[in-house]
Amino acid sequence: MFSESDVIEFKREFSRTTLKTVVAFANTRGGIVYLGIEDDGEICGVEDPDATMLAAANSIRSSIKPNTSMIVQCERMEMNGKHVVGIRVERGANRPYYMADKGMRPEGVYIRQGSASFMATEAEIVDMLKASQKDSFEARRCLHQALTFSETSKAFENQKLEFGDAQLRTLGFVDEDGQFTNLAWLLSDQCTCSIKLAHFFGTKRITFKDRLETRGSLLAQFDQACHFLAEHTHYKTRFVDMRREDYDDYPPDAVREVLVNALVHQDFDSGAPPLVSVLEDRLETVSHGGLPASYSLSEFQMDVSVLRNPRLAHVFYRLGLIEAYGTGIARIFEAYERSETGPVFDITKHVFKVVLPNRNATHASDGEERGRRDIHGGDELGNQERLVFSVIEEQGPLKRSELQERFDFSQATLLRILKRLEEKGLVRAEGNTRRRVYRVLVAE
């Protein structure tokens, strides 16, 4: 007599544990469940095989998701003169299969190991999702199904657009089984992806002025990133033929396109966030996911649109955040047409880097540069003193603790720096010890 194995299971009668075995077979190598056989292999049979087959088929159809009708078949058998029902299960193409009342969580997903069925780990569930669904990341079924969309709903409302069940389906927020996709997760309040932004002193990534890690729906994160860059980039005023001109550090259109590009072309499978760095002479954006397929940058500049996340891009387009498909990179170059320098793209198989030069750093005159050095104390100031003075000048008045958060200096080192700045008449301490703040002295 044959025995239980990784593809064979015996059950005296149909029960909930039978459903778990069906799920495990569908998620692993397939198999057959025999109803009417004891665990030790003794054939006890079932009284009414037709009723048993009908009950089993109905229960499997209503209790397991995704739909298993194409991979599960019930059949009547005769063994030792007794009726036995066999439930044949093929390995499914839409894994992971799971118990509908438990959801796509370890409690609801089972796999087969030897002659037993075990709950899958979260990592195994993720692997099944990746292996069985060859669509883009955004089209796959999301591991997390308890999602809300307050920020996205607000964005649609602001554009006077509907955002209901019908839109969830047409935009790709839910799949054919009504389950949320990864696109829904990216635009949900529960999204844990992020954008990391930082503002540095000077032209090297050594000392932070400020930093931000965005949170929430990608639409909310896009707004957070825009506000951060607006706060940490500036403009210069010039007079040309007696006319005033305000010249932004970076063309606003270029900054906006770079941010949009970093999101809609991001490889979210990598788990690494886009990085945005503001330095004295440039703004750099690094997103994970190089050019799709075999396209070159020159082809991208010819209005070729090959989107890594087309559904996400479509949502951005509906909300007016993308003006026209395939024009983003061309618009970045156009924004620098009248500048001495232009954007630089550095693209590898896995990384897409864009560098926008600071137009004001390039155009600043020698007189302007000399004036700025004089204000900062000239060569009499050391590098550490210059950095601390710059922070107080730009963001002060500040407490010692607030300054400490921005530097890697020890408390003793920072206090010595502040003391030297006071002695040179550049900074003044105000207030008692607990409330003391430091502010820049304005030259009379």
Side-chain angles (χ1 to χ4, degrees), residues 37 98 105 203 222 279 308 312 346 373 412 418 432 436:
I37 301 180
Y98 56 93
R105 300 175 294 163
T203 59
F222 178 76
L279 299 105
R308 176 168 279 106
L312 179 62
D346 186 5
R373 285 195 293 270
L418 291 169
N432 58 34
R436 181 170 297 161

Side-chain angles (χ1 to χ4, degrees), residues 133-393:
Q133 299 187 36
K134 297 181 180 180
D135 293 330
S136 62
F137 172 87
E138 60 179 1
R140 297 178 199 150
R141 183 172 297 161
C142 181
L143 184 62
H144 310 285
Q145 292 293 314
L147 305 180
T148 58
F149 305 96
S150 61
E151 291 292 339
T152 297
S153 179
K154 188 186 304 179
F156 273 76
E157 182 180 343
N158 289 340
Q159 294 297 316
K160 296 181 171 53
L161 296 172
E162 294 290 330
F163 186 71
D165 291 340
Q167 286 72 36
L168 290 178
R169 289 191 175 277
T170 57
L171 292 172
F173 280 58
V174 296
D175 62 16
E176 59 185 11
D177 294 314
Q179 300 292 301
F180 285 126
T181 62
N182 281 333
L183 172 67
W185 176 68
L186 290 172
L187 295 168
S188 73
D189 304 320
Q190 289 73 34
C191 177
T192 55
C193 290
S194 65
I195 308 169
K196 291 188 175 182
L197 303 103
H199 188 193
F200 295 90
F201 285 102
T203 59
K204 296 181 180 179
R205 296 180 187 81
I206 298 176
T207 305
F208 288 103
K209 280 188 179 182
D210 197 7
R211 49 188 152 181
L212 171 71
E213 185 168 357
T214 60
R215 285 287 183 267
S217 160
L218 288 190
L219 295 173
Q221 293 190 41
F222 178 76
D223 286 342
Q224 293 166 33
C226 287
H227 285 128
F228 181 90
L229 293 177
E231 290 177 0
H232 294 280
T233 56
H234 309 285
Y235 64 85
K236 281 189 180 296
T237 298
R238 296 194 187 91
F239 289 90
V240 180
D241 297 331
M242 301 301 291
R243 288 180 293 105
R244 171 178 170 148
E245 290 185 359
D246 291 332
Y247 210 70
D248 293 288
D249 286 349
Y250 309 96
D253 284 350
V255 174
R256 185 183 184 85
E257 292 294 342
V258 163
L259 277 179
V260 169
N261 181 79
L263 292 176
V264 300
H265 290 292
Q266 169 76 356
D267 179 7
F268 292 101
D269 267 325
S270 72
L275 306 175
V276 182
S277 303
V278 182
L279 299 105
E280 184 176 313
D281 61 343
R282 67 196 185 279
L283 186 154
E284 292 185 0
T285 301
V286 176
S287 54
H288 295 264
L291 292 176
S294 58
Y295 285 87
S296 66
L297 177 61
S298 61
E299 290 171 315
F300 264 60
Q301 291 176 244
M302 294 165 58
D303 292 348
V304 173
S305 180
V306 182
L307 299 170
R308 176 168 279 106
N309 302 293
R311 298 183 184 187
L312 179 62
H314 181 63
V315 172
F316 274 58
Y317 177 75
R318 289 283 303 274
L319 295 173
L321 300 176
I322 294 178
E323 292 193 16
Y325 290 129
T327 64
I329 291 180
R331 287 168 61 82
I332 293 171
F333 278 102
E334 288 172 5
Y336 274 87
E337 276 187 348
R338 298 183 180 180
S339 301
E340 293 180 4
T341 58
V344 177
F345 289 79
D346 186 5
I347 306 167
T348 68
K349 184 177 179 180
H350 302 291
V351 175
F352 198 111
K353 178 180 177 181
V354 185
V355 179
L356 300 181
N358 184 334
R359 299 184 300 180
N360 289 325
T362 302
H363 287 270
S365 67
D366 292 340
E368 289 173 323
E369 288 294 288
R370 283 196 299 273
R372 183 161 57 185
R373 285 195 293 270
D374 290 343
I375 291 173
H376 284 249
D379 294 333
E380 295 179 4
L381 286 184
N383 289 334
Q384 291 180 334
E385 294 168 347
R386 197 185 305 275
L387 290 174
V388 173
F389 181 86
S390 296
V391 171
I392 299 173
E393 181 186 43

Side-chain angles (χ1 to χ4, degrees), residues 108-140:
V109 181
Y110 293 84
I111 58 174
R112 192 73 173 177
Q113 293 181 355
S115 59
S117 300
F118 296 92
M119 285 192 301
T121 65
E122 192 164 293
E124 287 169 331
I125 295 173
V126 171
D127 287 341
M128 281 188 273
L129 282 167
K130 290 181 179 179
S132 64
Q133 299 187 36
K134 297 181 180 180
D135 293 330
S136 62
F137 172 87
E138 60 179 1
R140 297 178 199 150

